[in-house]
Amino acid sequence: MTNVVSLNERQEVLNDLGGYEGANFTVESEPIFYKSLVSYQAGTSLVNDITIKNKKALVRTDTNESLAVVSGSYQVAQHPDAFRTVERIIAGSDLDLTGIKRTIETSHDGARAYARYTFPAHEIETSRGDTATLEMLARNSFDGSWCFHVDIGAVRG
């Protein structure tokens, strides 16, 4: 069949931005243990692993690297899921997506990530003859430094 019709052209524009690069990995919660000496007799010792009940480690499944120790009630928001949420909002908006660009950066071994969306079709000239371009910045972290957050503003050129 050669007649393929997009059901949501705006979402396809966002899909064409590509993958989530260095932020495209999964984090899982793992229990934290410590060793406790139960008894020591005549040169032998018995050690038990004891779980810390109110804490957990957030571990990258691709590298097994621990990114943070968080409270037991901490809810993980995977970076790609956070960015897809922003993209659904953009797709449902009236923004002109012509020429939209997205850059993704991570830091702290992936514990922090942000996606910057630039909307060149929403560029204005300022009173001083400069330009200002609409941008949206979505931030997410696993180490508790940032909650999932979206900033919207203009970058002056």
Side-chain angles (χ1 to χ4, degrees):
M1 180 175 224
T2 58
N3 297 359
V4 177
V5 177
S6 170
L7 297 177
N8 187 342
E9 291 179 23
R10 295 176 62 76
Q11 186 61 54
E12 284 194 25
V13 168
L14 295 166
N15 292 345
D16 289 344
L17 295 175
Y20 295 104
E21 303 162 22
N24 196 20
F25 60 87
T26 303
V27 168
E28 290 184 352
S29 301
E30 299 292 343
I32 299 175
F33 301 92
Y34 68 91
K35 298 205 177 282
S36 174
L37 181 64
V38 177
S39 66
Y40 180 81
Q41 296 176 357
T44 63
S45 61
L46 179 61
V47 177
N48 281 350
D49 286 338
I50 300 186
T51 303
I52 300 173
K53 293 183 177 140
N54 60 346
K55 297 288 182 186
K56 60 186 174 183
L58 299 183
V59 179
R60 286 181 67 148
T61 59
D62 59 340
T63 64
N64 288 326
E65 182 178 358
S66 175
L67 297 180
V69 173
V70 296
S71 74
S73 62
Y74 184 88
Q75 296 295 312
V76 176
Q78 305 292 341
H79 294 323
D81 293 340
F83 301 150
R84 277 191 283 273
T85 297
V86 171
E87 291 168 13
R88 281 193 296 274
I89 293 167
I90 293 169
S93 75
D94 290 332
L95 291 169
D96 184 341
L97 303 184
T98 305
I100 187 174
K101 296 176 191 145
R102 180 189 65 205
T103 56
I104 298 199
E105 298 287 335
T106 61
S107 67
H108 298 79
D109 299 317
R112 300 175 191 173
Y114 69 86
R116 181 181 308 273
Y117 300 86
T118 304
F119 302 88
H122 292 277
E123 182 177 277
I124 60 169
E125 187 172 328
T126 68
S127 62
R128 295 184 176 203
D130 294 333
T131 59
T133 305
L134 180 65
E135 283 196 356
M136 185 179 290
L137 180 68
R139 297 182 289 160
N140 190 47
S141 77
F142 298 122
D143 63 5
S145 60
W146 301 331
C147 60
F148 172 62
H149 194 84
V150 179
D151 297 309
I152 300 171
V155 175
R156 194 168 170 182

